[in-house]
Amino acid sequence: MMTDPAFWRGRKVFITGHTGFKGAWLCLWLYRLGAEVTGYSLEPPTTPSLFALCGLDRLMVSHIADIRDACCLESALRDSRAEIVVHLAAQSLVRMSYQNPAETYATNLMGLVNLLEAVRNNNQVRAVVSVTSDKCYEDKTWIWGYRENDSLGGYDPYAASKACCELITASYRNSFFHPGNYSKHGVGIASARAGNVIGGGDWAADRLIPDCFRAIIRGQTISLRYPQAIRPWQHVLEPLGGYLLLARMLYENGPQYSEAWNFGPDAADAKPVQWVVNRFYQLWGGDAVANMVYANLPHETGCLKLDCAKAKSRLGWAPRRDIEWALQKTVEWLRAYMEQQEMRDLCFQQIEEYQSVAVGR
């Protein structure tokens, strides 16, 4: 079972990046499962934020600090007495990585190194999930999904930083947490590569759905840089469910699962950007008015898909919901936000609805 309450109840979990979009949803889910959650992150990256709207600081231990502060991070991890770590903290925006590559590399690479060093100096941790990105793969411009054993790469600083994070994770696993020496160190470490996530509570700049929402409420046109680019769209709960399952498998049998894993949608849900925009506007109740931008465009791959056969076969994980459900739930969430409803309750409701469908539908 992906989110077995019996396993998570009372389990101490340490989440980096807990004030971000994915991190906040993960903390809400873990709280719902009865886990004792400690978070470590900078202040929420946007205003508003899912973290603040749901009052997550009242549901968990929250450390507002920089992942690049190794001493502070090690202290917070030690005090949490966590057995499971999920590392989400990152500079996660492609365009920002062009504007400030040094900060992107410092945060993403050294932040991960600091975390793994903290784990090395901790005798409580048993499982670590290091979250990277589907953009860690070398851009081959092919139309089929990337597998975990395909070559790593990275054209832009963000993508390259995530490929480097995969190498760092593998290096620490080989050097300090080798599966063959598990009886000595007792730690399972895996990396997770997810697709393009959507859902309520994301206000980041240069992300498709937040940009659409801002355009709607401001009465503006939506600017599309790559309308025909194909991406593996999925609701944010899809990869988070994969991380939870992987963390449990690592905890229970670290050597068998200490490797890289893809968590993406079924092939039918890899859609062009313009299709997603048009469907979002249809669900909202209006027609998309798009303005194509052709000048000063950063490089982006034309087609990006993930092959998740390994996770389906060996973890028993599979997408529970499709792109249509993801967009419907995002619109539902945004409308509730505009009506000033209790967003924490709605998040819990959507988590329960997501879990109600059997794996693989």
Coordinates of all heavy atoms in Angstrom, one line a residue, residues 219-303:
G219 N -7.0 39.8 -16.2 CA -7.6 40.1 -17.5 C -6.5 40.2 -18.6 O -6.7 41.0 -19.5
Q220 N -5.4 39.5 -18.5 CA -4.4 39.6 -19.5 C -4.3 38.3 -20.3 O -4.9 37.3 -20.1 CB -3.0 39.7 -18.7 CG -3.0 41.0 -17.9 CD -1.7 41.0 -17.0 OE1 -1.0 40.0 -16.9 NE2 -1.4 42.2 -16.5
T221 N -3.5 38.4 -21.4 CA -3.3 37.2 -22.2 C -2.1 36.4 -21.6 O -1.3 37.0 -20.9 CB -2.9 37.6 -23.7 OG1 -1.7 38.4 -23.6 CG2 -4.0 38.4 -24.4
I222 N -2.1 35.1 -21.9 CA -1.1 34.3 -21.4 C 0.0 34.1 -22.4 O -0.3 33.9 -23.6 CB -1.6 32.9 -21.0 CG1 -0.5 31.9 -20.5 CG2 -2.4 32.2 -22.1 CD1 0.1 32.3 -19.2
S223 N 1.3 34.4 -22.0 CA 2.4 34.3 -22.9 C 3.0 32.9 -22.9 O 3.3 32.3 -21.9 CB 3.5 35.3 -22.5 OG 3.0 36.6 -22.6
L224 N 3.0 32.3 -24.1 CA 3.6 30.9 -24.3 C 4.9 31.0 -25.1 O 4.9 31.5 -26.2 CB 2.6 30.0 -25.0 CG 1.2 29.9 -24.3 CD1 0.3 28.9 -25.1 CD2 1.4 29.4 -22.9
R225 N 5.9 30.4 -24.5 CA 7.2 30.4 -25.2 C 7.3 29.2 -26.1 O 7.9 29.3 -27.2 CB 8.3 30.5 -24.1 CG 8.3 31.7 -23.3 CD 9.5 31.7 -22.3 NE 9.5 30.6 -21.4 CZ 8.8 30.6 -20.2 NH1 8.1 31.6 -19.9 NH2 8.9 29.5 -19.4
Y226 N 6.9 28.1 -25.6 CA 7.0 26.8 -26.4 C 5.7 26.1 -26.4 O 5.5 25.1 -25.7 CB 8.1 26.0 -25.8 CG 9.4 26.6 -25.7 CD1 9.9 27.3 -24.6 CD2 10.3 26.6 -26.8 CE1 11.1 27.9 -24.5 CE2 11.5 27.2 -26.8 CZ 12.0 27.8 -25.6 OH 13.2 28.4 -25.6
P227 N 4.7 26.6 -27.1 CA 3.3 26.0 -27.1 C 3.2 24.6 -27.5 O 2.3 23.9 -27.0 CB 2.5 26.9 -28.0 CG 3.5 27.6 -28.9 CD 4.7 27.7 -28.1
Q228 N 4.1 24.1 -28.3 CA 4.1 22.7 -28.8 C 5.0 21.8 -28.0 O 5.1 20.6 -28.3 CB 4.4 22.6 -30.3 CG 3.4 23.5 -31.2 CD 2.0 23.1 -30.9 OE1 1.6 22.0 -30.8 NE2 1.1 24.2 -30.8
A229 N 5.7 22.3 -27.0 CA 6.6 21.5 -26.2 C 5.8 20.5 -25.4 O 4.8 20.8 -24.8 CB 7.4 22.3 -25.3
I230 N 6.2 19.2 -25.4 CA 5.5 18.1 -24.7 C 6.2 17.9 -23.4 O 7.4 17.7 -23.3 CB 5.4 16.9 -25.6 CG1 4.6 17.1 -26.9 CG2 4.9 15.7 -24.8 CD1 4.7 16.0 -27.9
R231 N 5.3 17.8 -22.4 CA 5.9 17.5 -21.0 C 5.0 16.5 -20.3 O 3.9 16.3 -20.6 CB 5.8 18.8 -20.2 CG 6.7 19.9 -20.7 CD 8.2 19.6 -20.5 NE 9.1 20.6 -20.9 CZ 9.6 20.7 -22.2 NH1 9.3 19.8 -23.1 NH2 10.4 21.7 -22.5
P232 N 5.6 15.8 -19.3 CA 4.9 14.7 -18.6 C 4.1 15.3 -17.4 O 4.6 15.3 -16.3 CB 6.0 13.8 -18.1 CG 7.2 14.7 -18.0 CD 7.1 15.8 -19.0
W233 N 2.9 15.8 -17.7 CA 2.1 16.5 -16.7 C 1.5 15.5 -15.7 O 1.0 14.5 -16.1 CB 1.0 17.3 -17.3 CG 1.5 18.2 -18.4 CD1 1.5 18.0 -19.8 CD2 2.1 19.5 -18.2 NE1 2.0 19.1 -20.4 CE2 2.4 20.0 -19.5 CE3 2.4 20.3 -17.1 CZ2 3.0 21.3 -19.7 CZ3 2.9 21.5 -17.3 CH2 3.2 22.0 -18.6
Q234 N 1.5 15.9 -14.4 CA 0.9 15.0 -13.4 C 0.5 15.9 -12.2 O 1.1 16.9 -11.9 CB 1.8 13.9 -13.0 CG 3.2 14.4 -12.5 CD 4.2 13.3 -12.2 OE1 5.4 13.6 -12.1 NE2 3.8 12.1 -12.0
H235 N -0.5 15.5 -11.5 CA -0.9 16.2 -10.2 C 0.2 16.0 -9.2 O 0.9 14.9 -9.2 CB -2.2 15.7 -9.7 CG -2.8 16.5 -8.6 ND1 -2.4 16.4 -7.3 CD2 -3.6 17.6 -8.6 CE1 -3.0 17.3 -6.6 NE2 -3.8 18.0 -7.4
V236 N 0.4 17.0 -8.4 CA 1.5 17.0 -7.4 C 1.5 15.7 -6.5 O 2.5 15.2 -6.1 CB 1.6 18.3 -6.6 CG1 0.3 18.4 -5.8 CG2 2.8 18.3 -5.7
L237 N 0.3 15.2 -6.3 CA 0.2 14.1 -5.4 C 0.7 12.8 -6.0 O 1.1 11.9 -5.3 CB -1.3 13.8 -5.0 CG -1.9 14.9 -4.1 CD1 -3.4 14.7 -3.9 CD2 -1.2 15.1 -2.8
E238 N 0.8 12.7 -7.3 CA 1.3 11.5 -8.0 C 2.8 11.2 -7.6 O 3.1 10.2 -7.1 CB 1.2 11.6 -9.5 CG -0.2 11.7 -10.0 CD -0.9 10.3 -10.0 OE1 -0.4 9.4 -9.4 OE2 -1.9 10.2 -10.8
P239 N 3.7 12.2 -7.8 CA 5.1 11.8 -7.4 C 5.3 11.8 -5.9 O 6.1 11.0 -5.4 CB 5.9 13.0 -8.0 CG 5.0 14.1 -8.2 CD 3.6 13.5 -8.5
L240 N 4.5 12.6 -5.1 CA 4.6 12.5 -3.7 C 4.3 11.1 -3.2 O 4.9 10.6 -2.3 CB 3.7 13.6 -3.0 CG 4.1 15.0 -3.3 CD1 3.2 16.0 -2.5 CD2 5.6 15.3 -3.0
G241 N 3.2 10.5 -3.8 CA 2.9 9.2 -3.4 C 4.1 8.2 -3.7 O 4.3 7.3 -3.0
G242 N 4.7 8.5 -4.8 CA 5.9 7.7 -5.2 C 7.0 7.8 -4.2 O 7.7 6.9 -3.8
Y243 N 7.3 9.1 -3.7 CA 8.3 9.3 -2.7 C 8.0 8.6 -1.4 O 8.9 8.0 -0.8 CB 8.5 10.8 -2.4 CG 8.7 11.7 -3.6 CD1 8.5 13.1 -3.5 CD2 9.1 11.2 -4.8 CE1 8.7 13.9 -4.6 CE2 9.4 12.0 -5.9 CZ 9.1 13.4 -5.8 OH 9.3 14.2 -6.9
L244 N 6.7 8.6 -1.0 CA 6.3 8.0 0.3 C 6.5 6.5 0.2 O 7.0 5.8 1.1 CB 4.9 8.3 0.6 CG 4.6 9.8 1.0 CD1 3.1 10.0 1.2 CD2 5.3 10.1 2.3
L245 N 6.1 5.9 -1.0 CA 6.3 4.5 -1.2 C 7.7 4.1 -1.2 O 8.2 3.1 -0.5 CB 5.6 4.0 -2.5 CG 5.7 2.6 -2.8 CD1 5.2 1.7 -1.8 CD2 5.1 2.3 -4.2
L246 N 8.5 4.9 -1.9 CA 10.0 4.6 -2.0 C 10.6 4.7 -0.6 O 11.5 3.9 -0.3 CB 10.6 5.5 -3.0 CG 12.1 5.4 -3.2 CD1 12.5 4.0 -3.6 CD2 12.6 6.5 -4.2
A247 N 10.2 5.7 0.1 CA 10.8 5.9 1.5 C 10.5 4.7 2.4 O 11.4 4.2 3.1 CB 10.3 7.2 2.1
R248 N 9.3 4.2 2.3 CA 8.9 3.0 3.1 C 9.7 1.8 2.6 O 10.2 1.0 3.5 CB 7.4 2.7 3.0 CG 7.0 1.5 3.8 CD 5.5 1.5 4.0 NE 4.8 1.2 2.7 CZ 4.5 0.1 2.2 NH1 5.0 -1.0 2.7 NH2 3.9 -0.1 1.1
M249 N 9.8 1.6 1.3 CA 10.6 0.4 0.8 C 12.1 0.5 1.2 O 12.7 -0.5 1.6 CB 10.5 0.4 -0.7 CG 9.0 0.2 -1.2 SD 8.2 -1.3 -0.7 CE 8.3 -2.2 -2.2
L250 N 12.6 1.7 1.2 CA 14.0 1.9 1.6 C 14.2 1.6 3.1 O 15.2 1.0 3.6 CB 14.5 3.3 1.4 CG 14.8 3.7 -0.1 CD1 14.9 5.2 -0.2 CD2 16.1 3.0 -0.6
Y251 N 13.2 2.0 3.9 CA 13.2 1.8 5.3 C 13.2 0.3 5.6 O 13.9 -0.2 6.5 CB 12.0 2.5 6.0 CG 12.0 2.4 7.5 CD1 12.6 3.3 8.3 CD2 11.4 1.3 8.1 CE1 12.5 3.2 9.7 CE2 11.3 1.2 9.5 CZ 11.9 2.1 10.3 OH 11.9 2.0 11.6
E252 N 12.3 -0.4 4.9 CA 12.1 -1.9 5.1 C 13.2 -2.7 4.5 O 13.5 -3.8 5.0 CB 10.7 -2.3 4.7 CG 9.6 -1.6 5.5 CD 8.3 -1.9 5.0 OE1 8.1 -2.4 3.8 OE2 7.3 -1.6 5.7
N253 N 13.8 -2.3 3.4 CA 14.8 -3.1 2.7 C 15.7 -2.2 1.8 O 15.6 -2.1 0.6 CB 14.1 -4.1 1.8 CG 15.1 -5.2 1.2 OD1 16.3 -5.0 1.3 ND2 14.5 -6.3 0.7
G254 N 16.5 -1.5 2.6 CA 17.4 -0.5 1.9 C 18.2 -1.0 0.7 O 18.2 -0.3 -0.3
P255 N 18.9 -2.1 0.9 CA 19.8 -2.5 -0.3 C 19.0 -2.8 -1.6 O 19.6 -2.6 -2.6 CB 20.4 -3.8 0.3 CG 20.3 -3.7 1.8 CD 19.1 -2.9 2.0
Q256 N 17.8 -3.2 -1.5 CA 17.1 -3.6 -2.7 C 16.6 -2.4 -3.5 O 16.4 -2.5 -4.7 CB 15.9 -4.5 -2.3 CG 15.1 -5.1 -3.5 CD 14.1 -6.1 -3.1 OE1 14.0 -6.6 -2.0 NE2 13.2 -6.4 -4.0
Y257 N 16.4 -1.2 -2.8 CA 15.8 -0.1 -3.5 C 16.7 1.1 -3.6 O 16.2 2.2 -4.0 CB 14.5 0.2 -2.8 CG 13.5 -0.9 -2.8 CD1 13.3 -1.7 -1.7 CD2 12.8 -1.3 -4.0 CE1 12.5 -2.8 -1.7 CE2 12.0 -2.3 -4.0 CZ 11.8 -3.1 -2.9 OH 10.9 -4.2 -2.9
S258 N 18.0 1.0 -3.2 CA 18.9 2.2 -3.2 C 19.4 2.4 -4.6 O 20.5 2.0 -5.0 CB 20.0 1.9 -2.2 OG 19.6 1.9 -0.9
E259 N 18.6 3.1 -5.4 CA 19.0 3.5 -6.8 C 18.1 4.6 -7.3 O 17.4 5.2 -6.5 CB 18.8 2.2 -7.7 CG 17.5 1.5 -7.6 CD 17.5 0.1 -8.2 OE1 17.7 -0.8 -7.5 OE2 17.2 0.1 -9.4
A260 N 18.1 4.9 -8.5 CA 17.3 6.0 -9.1 C 15.9 5.5 -9.6 O 15.8 4.3 -10.1 CB 18.0 6.6 -10.3
W261 N 14.9 6.3 -9.5 CA 13.5 5.9 -9.8 C 12.8 7.1 -10.5 O 12.9 8.2 -10.1 CB 12.7 5.6 -8.6 CG 13.4 4.4 -7.8 CD1 14.3 4.5 -6.8 CD2 13.1 3.0 -8.0 NE1 14.6 3.3 -6.4 CE2 13.9 2.3 -7.0 CE3 12.2 2.3 -8.8 CZ2 13.9 1.0 -6.9 CZ3 12.2 0.9 -8.7 CH2 13.0 0.3 -7.8
N262 N 12.1 6.7 -11.6 CA 11.2 7.7 -12.3 C 9.8 7.6 -11.7 O 9.3 6.5 -11.5 CB 11.1 7.4 -13.8 CG 12.4 7.8 -14.5 OD1 13.2 8.6 -14.0 ND2 12.5 7.3 -15.7
F263 N 9.2 8.8 -11.6 CA 7.7 8.8 -11.2 C 7.1 9.8 -12.1 O 7.1 11.1 -11.9 CB 7.6 9.3 -9.7 CG 8.1 8.3 -8.7 CD1 9.3 8.6 -8.1 CD2 7.5 7.1 -8.5 CE1 9.9 7.7 -7.2 CE2 8.1 6.2 -7.6 CZ 9.2 6.5 -6.9
G264 N 6.5 9.3 -13.2 CA 5.8 10.2 -14.2 C 4.4 9.6 -14.5 O 4.0 8.6 -14.1
P265 N 3.7 10.4 -15.4 CA 2.4 10.0 -15.8 C 2.4 8.9 -16.9 O 3.5 8.6 -17.5 CB 1.8 11.3 -16.3 CG 3.0 12.0 -16.9 CD 4.1 11.7 -16.0
D266 N 1.3 8.3 -17.2 CA 1.1 7.5 -18.3 C 1.4 8.2 -19.6 O 1.2 9.5 -19.6 CB -0.3 6.8 -18.3 CG -0.4 5.8 -17.2 OD1 0.6 5.2 -16.9 OD2 -1.6 5.6 -16.8
A267 N 1.7 7.5 -20.7 CA 2.1 8.2 -21.9 C 1.0 9.1 -22.4 O 1.3 10.2 -23.0 CB 2.4 7.1 -23.0
A268 N -0.3 8.8 -22.2 CA -1.3 9.6 -22.7 C -1.4 11.0 -22.1 O -2.0 11.9 -22.6 CB -2.7 8.9 -22.5
D269 N -0.8 11.1 -20.9 CA -0.8 12.4 -20.2 C 0.4 13.3 -20.5 O 0.5 14.3 -19.9 CB -1.0 12.2 -18.7 CG -2.3 11.6 -18.4 OD1 -3.3 11.9 -19.1 OD2 -2.4 10.9 -17.4
A270 N 1.2 12.9 -21.4 CA 2.3 13.8 -21.9 C 1.7 14.6 -23.0 O 1.5 14.2 -24.1 CB 3.5 13.0 -22.4
K271 N 1.4 15.9 -22.7 CA 0.7 16.8 -23.6 C 1.5 18.0 -23.9 O 2.3 18.5 -23.2 CB -0.6 17.2 -22.9 CG -1.6 16.1 -22.5 CD -2.3 15.5 -23.7 CE -3.4 14.5 -23.3 NZ -4.1 13.9 -24.4
P272 N 1.1 18.6 -25.1 CA 1.7 19.9 -25.4 C 1.3 21.0 -24.5 O 0.2 21.0 -23.9 CB 1.2 20.2 -26.9 CG 0.8 18.9 -27.4 CD 0.3 18.1 -26.2
V273 N 2.1 22.0 -24.3 CA 1.8 23.1 -23.4 C 0.5 23.8 -23.8 O -0.4 24.1 -22.9 CB 3.0 24.1 -23.5 CG1 2.5 25.5 -22.8 CG2 4.2 23.6 -22.8
Q274 N 0.3 24.0 -25.1 CA -0.9 24.7 -25.5 C -2.2 23.9 -25.2 O -3.2 24.4 -24.9 CB -0.9 25.0 -27.0 CG -2.0 26.0 -27.5 CD -1.6 26.7 -28.8 OE1 -0.8 26.2 -29.5 NE2 -2.2 27.8 -29.0
W275 N -2.1 22.6 -25.3 CA -3.3 21.7 -24.9 C -3.6 21.9 -23.5 O -4.8 22.1 -23.1 CB -2.9 20.2 -25.2 CG -4.1 19.3 -25.0 CD1 -5.0 18.8 -25.9 CD2 -4.5 18.8 -23.7 NE1 -5.9 18.0 -25.3 CE2 -5.6 18.0 -23.9 CE3 -4.0 18.9 -22.4 CZ2 -6.3 17.3 -22.9 CZ3 -4.7 18.2 -21.3 CH2 -5.8 17.4 -21.6
V276 N -2.6 21.9 -22.6 CA -2.9 22.1 -21.2 C -3.5 23.5 -20.9 O -4.5 23.6 -20.1 CB -1.6 22.0 -20.4 CG1 -1.8 22.3 -18.9 CG2 -1.0 20.5 -20.5
V277 N -3.0 24.5 -21.6 CA -3.6 25.9 -21.4 C -5.0 25.9 -21.8 O -5.9 26.4 -21.1 CB -2.7 26.9 -22.2 CG1 -3.4 28.3 -22.2 CG2 -1.3 27.0 -21.5
N278 N -5.3 25.4 -23.0 CA -6.7 25.4 -23.5 C -7.6 24.6 -22.6 O -8.7 25.1 -22.4 CB -6.7 24.8 -24.9 CG -6.1 25.7 -26.0 OD1 -5.9 26.9 -25.8 ND2 -5.6 25.2 -27.1
R279 N -7.2 23.5 -22.1 CA -8.1 22.7 -21.2 C -8.3 23.4 -19.9 O -9.4 23.4 -19.3 CB -7.5 21.3 -21.0 CG -8.4 20.4 -20.3 CD -9.7 20.2 -21.0 NE -10.7 19.4 -20.3 CZ -12.0 19.7 -20.2 NH1 -12.4 20.8 -20.7 NH2 -12.8 18.9 -19.5
F280 N -7.2 24.0 -19.4 CA -7.4 24.8 -18.1 C -8.4 25.9 -18.3 O -9.3 26.0 -17.4 CB -6.0 25.3 -17.7 CG -6.1 26.2 -16.4 CD1 -6.0 25.5 -15.2 CD2 -6.2 27.5 -16.5 CE1 -6.1 26.3 -14.0 CE2 -6.2 28.3 -15.4 CZ -6.2 27.7 -14.1
Y281 N -8.3 26.6 -19.4 CA -9.3 27.7 -19.6 C -10.7 27.2 -19.8 O -11.7 27.8 -19.3 CB -8.8 28.5 -20.8 CG -7.9 29.6 -20.4 CD1 -6.5 29.4 -20.1 CD2 -8.3 31.0 -20.4 CE1 -5.6 30.4 -19.8 CE2 -7.4 32.0 -20.0 CZ -6.1 31.7 -19.8 OH -5.2 32.7 -19.5
Q282 N -10.8 26.0 -20.5 CA -12.1 25.4 -20.6 C -12.8 25.1 -19.3 O -13.9 25.3 -19.0 CB -12.0 24.2 -21.5 CG -11.8 24.5 -23.0 CD -11.4 23.2 -23.8 OE1 -11.4 22.1 -23.2 NE2 -11.0 23.4 -25.0
L283 N -12.0 24.5 -18.4 CA -12.5 24.1 -17.1 C -12.8 25.3 -16.3 O -13.7 25.3 -15.4 CB -11.4 23.2 -16.4 CG -11.2 21.8 -17.0 CD1 -10.0 21.1 -16.4 CD2 -12.5 20.9 -16.7
W284 N -12.0 26.4 -16.5 CA -12.3 27.6 -15.7 C -13.5 28.3 -16.2 O -14.3 28.8 -15.4 CB -11.1 28.5 -15.8 CG -11.2 29.7 -14.9 CD1 -11.8 30.9 -15.2 CD2 -10.7 29.8 -13.6 NE1 -11.7 31.7 -14.0 CE2 -11.0 31.0 -13.1 CE3 -10.1 28.8 -12.7 CZ2 -10.7 31.4 -11.7 CZ3 -9.8 29.2 -11.4 CH2 -10.1 30.5 -10.9
G285 N -13.8 28.1 -17.5 CA -15.0 28.7 -18.0 C -14.7 29.9 -18.9 O -15.2 31.0 -18.6
G286 N -13.9 29.7 -19.9 CA -13.5 30.8 -20.8 C -12.6 30.3 -21.9 O -12.2 29.1 -21.9
D287 N -12.2 31.2 -22.8 CA -11.3 30.8 -23.8 C -9.9 31.4 -23.6 O -9.7 32.5 -23.1 CB -11.8 31.4 -25.2 CG -13.1 30.8 -25.6 OD1 -13.3 29.6 -25.3 OD2 -14.0 31.5 -26.1
A288 N -8.9 30.5 -23.8 CA -7.5 31.0 -23.6 C -7.2 32.0 -24.7 O -7.5 31.8 -25.9 CB -6.6 29.8 -23.7
V289 N -6.6 33.1 -24.3 CA -6.1 34.1 -25.2 C -4.5 34.1 -25.0 O -4.0 34.5 -24.0 CB -6.6 35.5 -24.9 CG1 -6.1 36.5 -25.8 CG2 -8.1 35.5 -24.9
A290 N -3.9 33.5 -26.0 CA -2.4 33.3 -25.8 C -1.6 34.2 -26.7 O -2.0 34.5 -27.9 CB -2.1 31.8 -26.2
N291 N -0.5 34.7 -26.2 CA 0.4 35.5 -26.9 C 1.7 34.7 -27.1 O 2.3 34.4 -26.1 CB 0.7 36.8 -26.2 CG 1.8 37.6 -26.8 OD1 1.9 37.7 -28.0 ND2 2.6 38.2 -26.0
M292 N 2.1 34.4 -28.3 CA 3.3 33.6 -28.5 C 4.6 34.5 -28.4 O 4.6 35.6 -29.0 CB 3.3 32.9 -29.9 CG 2.0 32.1 -30.1 SD 1.8 30.9 -28.8 CE 0.1 30.3 -29.1
V293 N 5.5 34.1 -27.7 CA 6.8 34.8 -27.5 C 7.9 34.1 -28.3 O 8.1 32.9 -28.1 CB 7.1 34.9 -26.0 CG1 8.4 35.7 -25.8 CG2 6.0 35.5 -25.2
Y294 N 8.5 34.9 -29.1 CA 9.5 34.3 -30.0 C 10.9 34.8 -29.8 O 11.9 34.2 -30.2 CB 9.1 34.5 -31.5 CG 7.8 33.9 -31.9 CD1 6.7 34.6 -32.0 CD2 7.7 32.5 -32.0 CE1 5.5 34.1 -32.4 CE2 6.5 31.9 -32.4 CZ 5.4 32.7 -32.6 OH 4.2 32.1 -32.9
A295 N 11.1 35.9 -29.1 CA 12.4 36.5 -28.9 C 13.0 36.2 -27.6 O 12.4 36.0 -26.6 CB 12.3 38.0 -29.0
N296 N 14.4 36.1 -27.6 CA 15.2 35.9 -26.3 C 14.7 34.7 -25.5 O 14.5 34.8 -24.3 CB 15.1 37.2 -25.5 CG 15.6 38.4 -26.2 OD1 16.6 38.3 -26.9 ND2 14.9 39.5 -26.1
L297 N 14.5 33.6 -26.2 CA 14.0 32.4 -25.5 C 15.2 31.5 -25.0 O 16.1 31.2 -25.8 CB 13.2 31.6 -26.5 CG 11.8 32.2 -26.9 CD1 11.1 31.3 -27.9 CD2 11.0 32.5 -25.7
P298 N 15.2 31.1 -23.7 CA 16.2 30.2 -23.3 C 15.9 28.8 -23.9 O 14.8 28.5 -24.3 CB 15.9 30.1 -21.8 CG 14.5 30.5 -21.6 CD 14.2 31.5 -22.7
H299 N 16.9 28.0 -24.0 CA 16.8 26.6 -24.6 C 15.8 25.8 -23.7 O 15.9 25.8 -22.5 CB 18.1 26.0 -24.7 CG 18.0 24.5 -25.1 ND1 17.9 23.5 -24.2 CD2 18.0 23.9 -26.3 CE1 17.8 22.3 -24.8 NE2 17.9 22.6 -26.1
E300 N 14.9 25.1 -24.4 CA 14.1 24.0 -23.7 C 13.9 22.9 -24.7 O 13.8 23.1 -25.9 CB 12.8 24.6 -23.2 CG 12.8 25.5 -22.1 CD 11.5 25.8 -21.5 OE1 10.6 24.9 -21.6 OE2 11.3 26.9 -20.9
T301 N 13.9 21.7 -24.2 CA 13.7 20.5 -25.1 C 12.3 20.5 -25.6 O 11.4 21.0 -25.0 CB 14.0 19.2 -24.3 OG1 13.9 18.1 -25.2 CG2 13.0 19.0 -23.2
G302 N 12.1 20.0 -26.8 CA 10.8 19.9 -27.4 C 9.9 18.9 -26.9 O 8.7 19.0 -26.9
C303 N 10.5 17.8 -26.4 CA 9.7 16.6 -25.9 C 10.4 16.0 -24.8 O 11.6 15.6 -24.9 CB 9.5 15.6 -27.0 SG 8.4 14.2 -26.6

